[in-house]
Amino acid sequence: MYQKRVQSALSARAPSATAEVDEAMWALFLAIGDYWMLTDDVTGYRGRLQAFMANRISLDVGYLGYYALAAQVVEELQADVVAPAAAYARLFTARPSGGEEDSDLATVKAKVVDEFITWRLALGGFRDFGALNYRGYFGGANLSDEPVPYRTRNAD
Amino acid sequence: MVGTIIVGSGVAATALAQRLLEADPSASILILEAGGRVKTKDFALWQEYLLTRNLPYESCEDLPFPTRDKRGENAHLGEIEVNLNGARLFNYGGSTMHWGGWSLRLKPEDFELRSRTGQGADWPYGYDVLEPYYGEAEHYLAVSGDSADPTVRRSRAFPFPHFPFTREDSLLADAMDRLGISYGAMPIARRGLSDVPSRHAPCQTTGTCKYCPFGARYVASNYLDDLRAWNDYPNLEVRLGSVVETIRTTGRGRAVSVVYRDRTSRETVTVDADRIVVAGGAIESAKLLQRSVSAEWPKGIGNDEDNVGAYLITHPFLIFRGKRKSNELRLQPEMDFPTLVSRHFDSPKEQAKGKYIIVNPVTTAPIDLARQMRLGRSRAEIDGYVTGEMTMTLNVLVEVFGIKDNRVSNLTDRRNRFDMLETGVSYSNPAWKIREVEIGEVVARLWDEMGALQLGSPSVSWRADHAASTCRMSRDPAEGVVDADLKVHGMENLYVVSNGCFPALGAVNPTLTLTALALKLGDHLVAAGGAG
């Protein structure tokens, strides 16, 4: 049927990223905020990033490889430049084109960086661009005695 | 022997089953669903949707119509392409898996369409008969709405307060104020919080309504799961992957059994029942009656007058696009459902030409921050993008009238991926262009007031999301398929409950009205002969 999640004898032993890869992904996630000057409070984000990665791996175990590859690509970029921020910038602004679609950089960009961008915005990064709510953000319920969880017509 | 067989597992089947089981917890009910289960409220699947916009139930849609290069599914036989791809779903819970939740009541004049305009058909009863069931349906579907909205008379408040207009509504609302066009809050099936306990979570305004991670938007399978898992209903059974082929009758007046194919075992199974309710949607319900042929019903059950599958209507959905020079309010999609609807032109004055509603869609200001960042744009560039030139969208849903030659039928030589006979759709509407132009003139005034320019001509989708009227209610058997109690004319124990039963559709989404009909049918069945 439709279900992409594979259940097997190994399911109980859910695979997860190594500690080194996990650390590198957290650094990458933070770098997204630094590069785009996002001012959201990252407290609590690390656990949510780990849950996000675990969910991706649960649907496609290939994500274990994508995250490991991302850690490797970041390390290689950092070896090329003086400042770590410049390495991340090169990754964030990469536009793989003809003949490069299958490169490590392109794969990491599509499977890791672009997905982390979406997740970072959904966790709260969107606020810097003027809104109160956003696709993927848990804005909260519409309750009579509490603030409306989005900008309303007549609000300042 | 089963008390009641219900064909289909969408909102009509689920609301009806719940009604019957509340009247008699031991009622014997068998629900047959051709599709399989799609997991709901799964955070990994939700994330997948958030990231890719791929929905876990897309595989339950019809394929597009065949082309020279692709086999496709179904056949488009008329002048206008009424697309089935994306219009409905074959899965446990039916099309509620993807519905938007717009929950508007028909207006009193909609029940008198032919009497008032000479078009289409009248309902066999008036608004006041259905009104109490509308209230129940709003509570059943967990609708948030404005109980003070004067659009239609109501005897019961919505269960949850309406969602206030968004900032994105401000331009359109201001324009409508200046033009004297009325509007109100969209009644939307999103659960809130109240004193009534519920196993379902309130809407968290997550902006991913097509796959709600909390189940705050009504999905029938969640409610059927509740009935099966939490309640003591020992004689309720659901069989998935069960493709109903035909209904057998004895003599001319009584249905005795349902014949279905089990998609897993490939076996043909016959189940006898005291009562059969067809709740398979406007298209499949009609097709099932058509192919239930016997010596007594040579053209299919209830089809002596060739009304089964005929009078097909749906809503043309107009998408107007405009452009403003700047987005000084930084309007962005903060919600994934509309909060503003205008029923100004859903009025008796417009009825003869086709009523319509105007909706401010969630794509009004289609700012996509993630895409800008993925493209490597700098922060300054993105800030400029947010406040710069702004494209806008307005949606219009229009009423059309039933014409006998517009119909659905079985393609007897082709089966789809669910082992169901494919569908032929024949639809034409020569008068449509005139109405489109008239509506365009109103929208042009709105663009002017919003300081926007329209971009090109509107696109029109005739997709069959709101397909209706294919088994329409009538007092006179010559005019329709079912009577005012949804019983097939000439039959004593065969019922249809689907959008197909609507004699007229008005200009609004049908699910709330369908739910009201299902609850009304439940009361009728209990009163007529017990819960099952």
Side-chain angles (χ1 to χ4, degrees), chain B residues 216-238:
Chain B
R217 171 175 59 80
Y218 177 91
V219 173
S221 58
N222 290 339
Y223 283 65
L224 274 175
D225 280 346
D226 283 354
L227 296 178
R228 298 163 75 188
W230 296 92
N231 296 86
D232 188 15
Y233 299 139
N235 300 314
L236 170 66
E237 184 184 357
V238 180

Side-chain angles (χ1 to χ4, degrees), chain A residues 2 21 30 48 62 79 81 87 89 102 113 116 124 132 134 139 146:
Chain A
Y2 87 97
V21 170
L30 291 177
R48 297 190 68 179
V81 295
D102 296 331
V113 173
F116 279 15
L132 272 183
Y134 184 78
E146 291 188 15

Side-chain angles (χ1 to χ4, degrees), chain B residues 325-520:
Chain B
K325 284 183 180 170
S326 64
N327 181 13
E328 60 276 11
L329 294 174
R330 289 179 172 257
L331 302 180
Q332 300 166 51
E334 297 191 46
M335 297 285 277
D336 198 25
F337 55 81
T339 47
L340 184 151
V341 58
S342 170
R343 302 189 72 177
H344 187 87
F345 302 97
D346 177 5
S347 67
K349 185 180 170 191
E350 299 287 329
Q351 192 172 21
K353 295 186 289 186
K355 307 161 90 184
Y356 62 95
I357 63 172
I358 302 172
V359 177
N360 198 43
V362 294
T363 51
T364 286
I367 298 292
D368 187 342
L369 297 175
R371 182 168 186 277
Q372 296 299 309
M373 290 168 70
R374 290 195 302 264
L375 289 171
R377 305 272 196 260
S378 68
R379 172 63 187 266
E381 287 172 322
I382 298 173
D383 282 332
Y385 157 78
V386 170
T387 55
E389 189 175 271
M390 170 191 181
T391 58
M392 305 175 70
T393 310
L394 279 181
N395 292 160
V396 179
L397 210 58
V398 192
E399 176 182 28
V400 296
F401 308 120
I403 299 170
K404 188 156 188 173
D405 286 344
N406 290 336
R407 58 178 62 237
V408 294
S409 57
N410 289 281
L411 300 178
T412 55
D413 58 341
R414 289 174 50 170
R415 287 186 180 267
N416 66 12
R417 294 161 295 132
F418 303 92
D419 205 22
M420 305 165 72
L421 285 179
E422 293 185 17
T423 304
V425 188
S426 181
Y427 190 87
S428 301
N429 190 329
W432 164 249
K433 268 292 169 193
I434 299 167
R435 193 59 175 146
E436 183 183 328
V437 170
E438 291 170 344
I439 294 168
E441 289 167 0
V442 171
V443 172
R445 289 161 53 209
L446 287 169
W447 288 134
D448 281 347
E449 286 295 331
M450 289 191 281
L453 286 172
Q454 182 165 314
L455 295 172
S457 301
S459 58
V460 188
S461 168
W462 288 86
R463 205 172 72 169
D465 298 45
H466 299 172
S469 213
T470 52
C471 300
R472 68 186 193 180
M473 272 186 274
S474 66
R475 289 197 186 91
D476 179 356
E479 292 283 316
V481 177
V482 299
D483 66 16
D485 294 319
L486 304 181
K487 188 163 63 175
V488 175
H489 287 301
M491 298 292 292
E492 59 187 65
N493 64 339
L494 176 61
Y495 297 82
V496 180
V497 57
S498 83
N499 298 341
C501 301
F502 293 18
L505 184 57
V508 298
N509 307 50
T511 301
L512 179 74
T513 301
L514 173 61
T515 308
L517 282 180
L519 296 172
K520 181 174 180 295

Side-chain angles (χ1 to χ4, degrees), chain A residues 125-141:
Chain A
F126 70 93
R127 287 200 196 89
D128 280 294
F129 300 95
L132 272 183
N133 209 335
Y134 184 78
R135 185 173 182 269
Y137 181 69
F138 295 174

Side-chain angles (χ1 to χ4, degrees), chain B residues 1-4 17-30 231-237 274-275 530-532:
Chain B
M1 172 71 83
V2 171
T4 303
Q18 182 164 328
R19 197 69 155 195
L20 296 177
L21 290 164
E22 284 169 354
D24 177 5
S26 66
S28 160
I29 298 173
L30 171 62
N231 296 86
D232 188 15
Y233 299 139
N235 300 314
L236 170 66
E237 184 184 357
D274 290 328
R275 186 166 57 201

Side-chain angles (χ1 to χ4, degrees), chain B residues 182-237:
Chain B
S182 60
Y183 57 90
M186 173 68 86
I188 194 89
R190 298 291 187 279
R191 182 169 290 279
L193 278 177
S194 73
D195 295 337
V196 179
S198 172
R199 279 190 288 268
H200 303 277
C203 171
Q204 295 296 316
T205 60
T206 310
T208 51
C209 295
K210 289 293 180 184
Y211 191 88
C212 177
F214 307 105
R217 171 175 59 80
Y218 177 91
V219 173
S221 58
N222 290 339
Y223 283 65
L224 274 175
D225 280 346
D226 283 354
L227 296 178
R228 298 163 75 188
W230 296 92
N231 296 86
D232 188 15
Y233 299 139
N235 300 314
L236 170 66
E237 184 184 357

